[in-house]
Amino acid sequence: DYYWNEILQLANEYPDQRSLSVDFTDIEKFDRELSKEFLDHPEELIMAAEVALKEIDLPVEKSLEEAHVRVIRIPNRIPIRELRSKHLARFIAIEGMIRKATEVRPRITKAAFECLRCGYITFVDQNSFRFEEPFAGCEGESCGKKGPFKIRIEESTFIDAQKLQIQESPENLKGGSQPQSLEVDSEDDLTGNVTPGDRVIINGILKSRQRTLKDGKSTFYDLVLEANSIEQLDKDYDELEITTEDEEEILELSRDPEIYGKIVSSVAPSIYGYEDIKEALALQLFSGVVKNLPDGSRIRGDIHIMLVGDPGIAKSQLLRYVVKLSPRGVFTSGRSASASGLTAAAVKDDLNDGRWTIEGGALVMADMGIAAVDEMDKMKTEDKSALHEAMEQQTISIAKAGIIATLKSRCALLGAANPKYGRFDRYEGLAEQINMPPALLSRFDLIFVLLDTPDHTLDTKIANHILQSHYAGELFEQREKLPGSHITEDFVEAEMEMIEPVIQPEIMRKYVAYARKNVFPVMEEDARVYLINFYTDLRKTGESKNTPVPVTARQLEALVRLSEASARIRLSNTVTLEDAKTKFLSATIMSPGLTF
């Protein structure tokens, strides 16, 4: 009644397609008791459903002998760390990120043994743990001997099998805890559909396997999820659910003429000043438009930003705040990150006979998000060279341990570095003071130089802002932790107002997600002419100064990306002349790249 059209479609495409996806909410609509029974005793019911599917009288001359019923959209998702013995043999949904996936290999389900004495073939069903031979002996009428047997591969039945390892998504982790993982067995047409780094929901039956020790069997069991269906979560910012109310609020915000200023002041409000940098970070969150050209090439839309400056001016704070705002942010520090930790490492696989496999590093995990690398100047030279391809082509090519692969790293890079000599010397050239190769610097769209110069008026304002932040924090903590405190909630809120973001982080993330998903601006003619003139003038100024990092076509692309991101902030589908004239372009330009 519910799925006749889908069954006909399956019959048309069978055996290339062998799965009928059933929405769990439809089972609930049909019979509430049945849906409850399904979650408690899934094996019998899935088997019954597949038998029923085979028995349906189809208008085409086909039998759906090996078709499967896949149940999707299970309402109660259980975090991996909350799996308990009560969940055993029940149907559950696990959300997370694929950490490892073995290659797809055939697994024997029914083995055909030929008796070498009489030639009779005995069939033995195989379970997934141990290969079983015919213990009862040959089943031939006049034989009955215990062997010898020879396995007949062509007569045996095989099924495709793959082992996966799913781990908790980094954004759902409690502070300081290691991500927990779970082993998953997938079979038949579920195999080969996911790769490490994919966000998925795996629905299936939780099984257990007894551990074996050297001196016998253990009383402890390991958990394994027998996959029934795999739902791919769209990457990008789609993990955020935007309700109709949220959408109305987002559209209302975009109509505000002050929206640009509001978004900029919602980035790291606890840090005083740095309007230019906060604007750049806001543009980085929104990003330009990714272009896939007819010849197969791809132009990146992500904006890479580099902050260089004296110690103690809140570079790391800015980085951490942006990672928190981004739906898939990864923070790493240069000193503790190696080339393989940033790109990909070859490791011995514990799932699959100890073969070598590739595990994605920080830039792969930050795919479609922002990767923040602090202390970039402390990285080893060979580790920095690993960033070249990841920044421009947004892929990571691997040739390690006999594995040659290309992984995606479509992320924006936000780097922070200190000058070579501890503090910045305003009379020296920029390139000499940053301990980074010019080829890497030219890949950054924006490079900011932050100077810590004493200025009585500014210092007073910064000191007031810092002390106000501390005072508000003290009031909040005392009210929370001391039962007899006389501090009222209103008083705390009033003091917090100065460091409160104009747009709350939750709605800000949704605003960014909405813009990236629904807004694809196109540049107007006058904006294009303006950018061409600006770029050619920039090249002229670069000619005379024999610069170590010249202005290249990359900087023109950077201007385009910034203009597109500016239009996205207003949720506008056209890039106007005003967007092209963002305040970056009126700022003082130095080489390399666009430096402020």
Side-chain angles (χ1 to χ4, degrees):
D1 292 352
Y2 283 77
Y3 282 89
W4 183 243
N5 292 340
E6 286 86 342
I7 291 169
L8 289 180
Q9 192 180 338
L10 174 66
N12 282 335
E13 295 179 13
Y14 186 83
D16 297 329
Q17 190 185 336
R18 294 191 294 282
S19 288
L20 175 72
S21 292
V22 175
D23 196 321
F24 185 76
T25 49
D26 291 335
I27 304 178
E28 277 189 315
K29 281 181 210 162
F30 176 69
D31 186 341
R32 183 60 66 96
E33 281 301 308
L34 181 70
S35 68
K36 192 173 177 303
E37 182 71 14
F38 173 77
L39 290 177
D40 293 342
H41 304 103
E43 251 177 299
E44 303 156 34
L45 285 171
I46 288 173
M47 214 176 284
E50 288 182 357
V51 168
L53 189 60
K54 287 170 198 166
E55 290 172 358
I56 286 176
D57 191 14
L58 293 167
V60 288
E61 285 187 26
K62 269 188 188 176
S63 164
L64 302 176
E65 271 306 309
E66 291 177 11
H68 305 283
V69 174
R70 309 275 184 210
V71 182
I72 56 172
R73 302 219 183 128
I74 305 297
N76 50 337
R77 292 180 202 162
I78 299 165
I80 295 173
R81 63 180 59 236
E82 286 174 26
L83 288 174
R84 300 291 179 264
S85 52
K86 65 180 180 187
H87 296 122
L88 281 174
R90 288 172 63 93
F91 201 87
I92 58 169
I94 298 281
E95 184 181 344
M97 182 172 72
I98 298 292
R99 183 154 167 254
K100 288 181 189 170
T102 65
E103 62 267 54
V104 181
R105 287 288 175 264
R107 182 170 72 74
I108 196 163
T109 53
K110 185 180 271 190
F113 291 95
E114 182 185 2
C115 177
L116 294 179
R117 290 176 190 269
C118 69
Y120 185 82
I121 292 180
T122 305
F123 289 96
V124 180
D125 287 331
Q126 304 291 333
N127 66 25
S128 55
F129 306 120
R130 195 181 291 109
F131 185 72
E132 289 182 10
E133 298 191 6
F135 291 118
C138 177
E139 292 173 6
E141 284 178 18
S142 57
C143 186
K145 294 278 192 306
K146 293 267 182 177
F149 294 103
K150 177 189 171 190
I151 189 159
R152 291 283 297 270
I153 295 293
E154 63 277 10
E155 302 276 335
S156 304
T157 314
F158 287 87
I159 193 168
D160 290 327
Q162 184 182 30
K163 282 186 178 180
L164 309 171
Q165 195 176 45
I166 185 173
Q167 77 168 33
E168 295 169 291
S169 299
E171 56 268 22
N172 300 337
L173 281 183
K174 305 276 191 302
S177 57
Q178 281 271 30
Q180 293 196 8
S181 54
L182 177 70
E183 207 173 302
V184 180
D185 280 348
S186 64
E187 288 182 350
D188 205 10
D189 56 338
L190 285 186
T191 56
N193 294 333
V194 292
T195 50
D198 287 356
R199 308 294 167 116
V200 293
I201 297 168
I202 301 185
N203 309 303
I205 304 165
L206 192 67
K207 297 285 186 75
S208 59
R209 282 190 196 151
Q210 193 167 16
R211 291 184 191 172
T212 49
L213 304 171
K214 287 174 188 168
D215 50 350
K217 291 180 178 177
S218 166
T219 53
F220 281 92
Y221 280 71
D222 287 321
L223 294 176
V224 179
L225 186 68
E226 203 173 87
N228 170 266
S229 62
I230 298 177
E231 297 172 62
Q232 292 258 10
L233 285 174
D234 285 332
K235 296 195 170 184
D236 206 355
Y237 282 66
D238 294 0
E239 288 153 39
L240 301 173
E241 281 181 31
I242 299 174
T243 60
T244 357
E245 294 83 49
D246 289 335
E247 194 171 338
E248 280 170 20
E249 191 177 343
I250 287 164
L251 294 171
E252 184 62 41
L253 272 171
S254 72
R255 287 192 281 270
D256 184 343
E258 296 294 311
I259 182 62
Y260 206 89
K262 282 186 176 177
I263 280 184
V264 171
S265 55
S266 300
V267 177
S270 55
I271 296 165
Y272 182 82
Y274 296 142
E275 270 72 24
D276 285 354
I277 296 172
K278 288 180 184 179
E279 184 178 343
L281 296 177
L283 291 172
Q284 187 181 38
L285 280 170
F286 283 87
S287 100
V289 180
V290 180
K291 290 104 181 169
N292 293 300
L293 303 183
D295 64 350
S297 57
R298 176 181 179 276
I299 302 175
R300 70 176 163 97
D302 293 306
I303 296 165
H304 300 315
I305 297 176
M306 176 79 162
L307 310 178
V308 185
D310 301 336
I313 49 173
K315 294 191 297 293
S316 303
Q317 291 280 81
L318 285 166
L319 261 65
R320 286 190 181 276
Y321 198 89
V322 171
V323 164
K324 207 168 68 184
L325 273 182
S326 170
R328 189 176 302 181
V330 173
F331 182 90
T332 176
S333 180
R335 177 56 66 82
S336 58
S338 66
S340 55
L342 282 174
T343 55
V347 291
K348 278 269 177 89
D349 185 6
D350 49 1
L351 286 181
N352 197 24
D353 321 327
R355 295 184 192 183
W356 286 98
T357 56
I358 290 290
E359 267 191 27
L363 294 176
V364 178
M365 293 306 181
D367 188 31
M368 297 303 230
I370 289 181
V373 185
D374 202 1
E375 309 278 358
M376 278 189 83
D377 53 312
K378 313 285 190 305
M379 287 169 70
K380 293 177 188 160
T381 318
E382 59 269 25
D383 296 347
K384 285 180 200 159
S385 63
L387 295 172
H388 284 113
E389 183 196 357
M391 286 178 73
E392 201 55 49
Q393 279 75 41
Q394 299 203 301
T395 56
I396 288 167
S397 301
I398 297 293
K400 292 179 180 178
I403 299 167
I404 296 170
T406 303
L407 306 174
K408 291 190 173 98
S409 66
R410 295 159 296 179
C411 62
L413 189 76
L414 174 57
N418 286 25
K420 254 186 204 174
Y421 313 111
R423 289 178 76 80
F424 208 86
D425 182 352
R426 52 175 59 239
Y427 304 109
E428 277 284 320
L430 173 72
E432 294 87 59
Q433 297 195 58
I434 306 175
N435 189 16
M436 291 181 76
L440 189 61
L441 281 179
S442 76
R443 282 170 164 79
F444 284 100
D445 297 345
L446 295 167
I447 300 175
F448 287 91
V449 175
L450 308 174
L451 298 177
D452 182 16
T453 45
D455 174 334
H456 184 72
T457 322
L458 184 63
D459 291 348
T460 311
K461 285 178 181 172
I462 291 173
N464 278 330
H465 187 86
I466 291 171
L467 286 173
Q468 178 63 33
S469 309
H470 278 266
Y471 179 57
E474 287 164 356
L475 292 173
F476 179 76
E477 287 299 316
Q478 193 182 82
R479 190 176 184 282
E480 287 285 301
K481 307 281 163 63
L482 279 187
S485 174
H486 300 301
I487 299 164
T488 64
E489 197 172 335
D490 296 345
F491 183 58
V492 175
E493 277 179 17
E495 293 297 329
M496 281 272 189
E497 202 171 315
M498 191 174 106
I499 50 170
E500 190 83 15
V502 186
I503 302 169
Q504 289 302 319
E506 199 49 47
I507 194 72
M508 174 88 160
R509 288 177 77 184
K510 288 180 178 174
Y511 190 98
V512 173
Y514 185 85
R516 288 182 69 146
K517 206 162 135 191
N518 301 308
V519 181
F520 297 95
V522 175
M523 198 172 283
E524 287 181 345
E525 181 63 33
D526 51 353
R528 288 212 301 273
V529 171
Y530 178 82
L531 288 184
I532 291 167
N533 293 337
F534 185 87
Y535 169 69
T536 47
D537 292 348
L538 199 58
R539 287 278 288 180
K540 266 185 208 156
T541 54
E543 276 170 22
S544 55
K545 296 176 182 171
N546 192 20
T547 50
V549 185
V551 174
T552 64
R554 277 184 184 153
Q555 274 63 52
L556 177 59
E557 289 189 347
L559 299 175
V560 173
R561 283 191 280 271
L562 291 166
S563 310
E564 289 167 352
S566 171
R568 271 185 164 175
I569 287 183
R570 298 180 290 106
L571 298 191
S572 162
N573 276 317
T574 49
V575 179
T576 62
L577 185 60
E578 284 307 305
D579 290 316
K581 287 182 178 174
T582 48
K583 69 160 87 160
F584 292 121
L585 305 195
S586 57
T588 320
I589 303 283
M590 298 166 15
S591 179
L594 306 180
T595 313
F596 305 93

